[in-house]
Amino acid sequence: MTEPRPIIIRNANLVDPASGRQEHGHLIVVAGLIADLGPGIDVSVPPKGVRVIDAGGMTLAPGLIDLRAFVGEPGAEHRETLASAGRAAAAGGVTTVVCMPDTDPPVDDPAVVDFLIRRARDTAAVRMLPAAALTKGLHGAEMTEIGLLQAAGAAYFTDGAKALADPLVMRRALTYARDFDALIVQHVEEPRLAGGVMNEGELASRLGLPGIPREAETLMLERDLRLVRLTRGRYHAAMISCADSVDIMRAAKKAGLPVTCGVSINSLALNENDIGPYRTFLKLSPPLRHEDDRMAVVAGLAEGVIDVIVSDHDPQDVETKRQTFAESANGAIGLQTMLSVGLRLVHSGQIELVPLLRAMSTRPAEILGLPQGRLQVGAPADLILFDPEEPYVLDPASLHSICKNTPFDEARLQGVVHMTMVGGRVVHEA
Amino acid sequence: MSTPPVFPHRHLLGIEGLSPADITTLLDMADRAVEVSRLVEKKKTTLRGRTQINLFFESSTRTQSSFELAGKRLGADVMNMSVASSSIKKGETLIDTAMTLNAMRPDLIVVRHHAAGAVQLLARKVDCSVINAGDGAHEHPTQALLDALTIRRNKGDIRGLVVAICGDILHSRVARSNIILLNALGAEVRAIGPTTLLPAGLDRMGCKVFTSMREGLRGADIVMMLRLQRERMNGSFVPSVKEYFHFYGLDAEKLAHAKPDALVMHPGPMNRGVEIASDIADGAQSLIREQVEMGVAVRMAVLEALASNLPNG
């Protein structure tokens, strides 16, 4: 691939969530890296061959890093491919996507990791990092080749949409992974308590649907944290959804455990009432909880107890969603909308812009040890230029994902990404 | 000049969403249907030329035959479709079946399905009126209406009565529809059962919650028993049939805590010796057989009310 030509982005609102710096200025990209930035640099006479982009005062920030997206390749290309997910990500300002190992075959073999990395390089507009299965076949019984998979390029280890329920397997995996400094990511849900289809409570009772108690989450989270204390393995709770989990994570961090956690963009923006008359696009795992829980996870995010926001992008088609609520699959797409849905919290005064962007770029980069996710000299030029105010109504036809199962169809949103750059190459312009 | 519709709804998907006036309208119509049903010549012509399809994804003897009789007494052409749920691919077939039936231009579809919300889903896909004959653990509106009719005919008025609903409320659509309806008509509703069989938040749904039959039945005017499914009897929700009957089965001793003139109801089919003793089920205080008769009348009323809103009605 030829080296991209240098680019000057001038007249931008530079927002670096890593340092917290926000200032008007310019940014220069050379050889795919940020070469210089700030208000003082002289961009009045650009050298020949340099592309100049006038930002018109829009916000320039690091591209988003999403630690959790289901893509479907290999095995479910009718739902999503690396290419279609990449287009959705680019349009949504996501420049690095960690794809889940719940594929067919699952990502439990170094050859599959290698295939995904090559396939993504050839077909996807953004960086796609495969997460590897934590157990063979995602069956929850035997750990995968953690060392070899990591050497092949696996971003972290998880059984994806499934929780690793067996405490002995989890203990051994945490212990073994520590030798490789590998990160273990858990879907925190005790499967035996998670037989329901929505949050347990009055609303589920009124709808006649079986509920999932918050304790399905807190029980698994507390168990895992005990095992982390025993093993000192690096552990990340993929998504927490309730107030109690925020308290549990706060205490674990205070105790110095090597633990982090995420929250789904849906759990930040929606609550169980949004399910309304059995809307299957809002059937999610973890389920949408009570408004009190939503406010608690927003506060936990602002406080820094919750480290990252994930899209939990999960394309589901008509076959799996045009069902009765109990029989439909979990999941919603989110790559293309996570920024504007997150900005909804900013516009309504629930969180500041910098902590929002930090949880969508800097923190996930730190957790994975990636150099991107910051506006700093020498960092990869994974950048987004967006107007946080610009309103739009989400038209499902404008979504690049093959599946259109968004909870936000026809929603009024604000925040349009006008340019996305990955490694100095512009991959999306609008 | 057109008069406003007697019953301002296109479908009957649940008791939720009906006003007390809507409910009373249906009960008054049902009272008149009882008279028709007691004549030798039971046939009316209200639904002549109309097509009614009974689409049952879950087997049912009493509700399906009740809807069939109701439709026939009103002169409709009634077709029964029983879809054994094992032989279909769930959900997708529900919508596909709905679209297929819709193309045959029925006027009324009566639906029972094992999943909550299934009837709403189907109603969005068809052009005709849809009646919920039971969807999962969500609602069973005609059962609640027939229970209300039975109570009203025996007690005169529902307002102020103490109604105790007993047993497996967690899995019961009958309980949910009854709780909403009885609250709407001003009864005091109590729910009695072991906590494993009570849904979360029940106390906020308009019920006083009891776990003791003795306390819950004290001063009750109506004792409404619910069926306990066999698969829930042995250790999963309650330890055994023996223990369940001991604490929650309605027998003469427990019934004695209710008012002396208390009446006993059961939506059927009954498990004698599980939730209700045989002598109580067949005793002088039992309204169980009358409930079945009222079932036909209420379904006639619902069919008539919806048909009056159909095009060319």
Side-chain angles (χ1 to χ4, degrees), chain A residues 9 12 14 21 23-28 36-43:
Chain A
I9 303 168
L14 304 172
R21 202 171 61 174
E23 59 190 0
H24 187 86
H26 322 291
L27 184 144
I28 300 175
D36 203 356
L37 78 162
I41 58 174
D42 183 9
V43 292

Side-chain angles (χ1 to χ4, degrees), chain A residues 48-337:
Chain A
K48 235 182 122 183
V50 172
R51 182 180 171 193
V52 179
I53 297 172
D54 193 310
M58 280 195 286
T59 297
L60 186 66
L64 308 184
I65 299 171
D66 182 7
L67 291 188
R68 188 179 176 89
F70 296 84
V71 168
E73 190 169 352
E77 290 84 354
H78 62 291
R79 290 200 193 135
E80 196 82 295
T81 61
L82 292 161
S84 63
R87 283 193 296 274
V94 182
T95 52
T96 302
V97 178
V98 178
C99 18
M100 291 297 97
D102 315 40
T103 49
D104 185 15
V107 189
D108 63 355
D109 186 294
V112 184
V113 175
D114 190 59
F115 162 79
L116 282 168
I117 290 173
R118 289 164 188 275
R119 181 90 179 139
R121 182 196 63 200
D122 294 346
T123 64
V126 304
R127 300 180 202 268
M128 295 275 181
L129 308 179
L134 181 51
T135 63
K136 288 174 187 162
L138 305 165
H139 295 313
E142 300 162 57
M143 72 172 105
T144 51
E145 296 166 331
I146 290 176
L148 291 174
L149 286 160
Q150 179 149 285
Y156 62 70
F157 296 85
T158 181
D159 277 356
K162 287 165 84 176
L164 176 49
D166 187 323
L168 178 62
V169 179
M170 183 53 111
R171 179 197 175 170
R172 294 239 172 91
L174 280 164
T175 307
Y176 186 82
R178 207 184 73 172
D179 296 345
F180 295 89
D181 195 31
L183 176 68
I184 287 182
V185 176
Q186 168 83 310
H187 181 52
V188 276
E189 187 174 79
E190 166 51 53
R192 290 286 289 159
L193 281 180
V197 299
M198 68 173 288
N199 185 42
E200 184 169 292
E202 184 186 348
L203 186 61
S205 296
R206 284 183 187 278
L207 291 172
L209 293 172
I212 302 173
R214 294 164 182 84
E215 285 67 21
E217 179 173 304
T218 54
L219 213 71
M220 186 59 93
L221 184 60
E222 289 191 312
R223 181 207 77 172
D224 284 352
L225 293 173
R226 297 237 166 221
L227 293 174
V228 170
R229 196 160 68 175
L230 177 70
T231 61
R232 310 305 288 189
R234 274 213 300 143
Y235 174 89
H236 177 83
M239 295 174 291
I240 64 171
S241 68
C242 63
D244 284 350
S245 294
V246 176
D247 295 338
I248 293 165
M249 281 304 302
R250 186 188 297 109
K253 288 183 163 189
K254 207 173 161 197
L257 296 182
V259 294
T260 50
C261 70
V263 63
S264 153
I265 186 70
N266 301 311
S267 294
L268 289 171
L270 303 167
N271 66 34
E272 59 180 354
N273 294 321
D274 291 301
I275 290 169
Y278 303 96
R279 290 179 63 201
T280 60
F281 284 5
L282 288 96
K283 187 184 177 196
L284 307 170
S285 174
L288 295 173
R289 304 267 183 207
H290 194 270
E291 174 64 7
D292 293 346
D293 292 303
R294 190 197 69 80
M295 291 196 296
V297 290
V298 170
L301 180 71
E303 187 190 338
V305 171
I306 296 176
D307 298 88
V308 305
I309 300 170
V310 297
S311 73
D312 194 29
H313 182 82
D314 192 355
Q316 297 291 340
D317 54 25
V318 168
E319 289 279 316
T320 51
K321 278 292 190 187
R322 209 173 67 154
Q323 303 268 7
T324 61
F325 195 85
E327 290 158 341
S328 81
N330 288 319
I333 57 169
L335 277 169
Q336 201 172 329
T337 49

Side-chain angles (χ1 to χ4, degrees), chain B residues 250-257 277 279-280:
Chain B
L250 187 67
D251 54 16
E253 190 271 325
K254 295 193 193 78
L255 183 57
H257 294 282
D279 58 332
I280 300 298

Side-chain angles (χ1 to χ4, degrees), chain A residues 59-66 85-97 125-127 311 334-340 343 357 360-361 364 372-373 381-387 392 400 415-422 427-430:
Chain A
T59 297
L60 186 66
L64 308 184
I65 299 171
D66 182 7
R87 283 193 296 274
V94 182
T95 52
T96 302
V97 178
V126 304
R127 300 180 202 268
S311 73
L335 277 169
Q336 201 172 329
T337 49
M338 72 183 290
L339 177 62
S340 35
L343 286 168
L357 293 178
M360 289 182 170
S361 56
Q372 59 263 33
D382 288 15
L383 303 168
I384 53 172
L385 189 59
F386 66 99
D387 179 349
Y392 69 102
H400 294 281
V416 174
V417 178
H418 286 274
M419 190 273 296
T420 304
M421 183 186 288
V422 178
V427 296
H428 165 78
E429 273 181 288

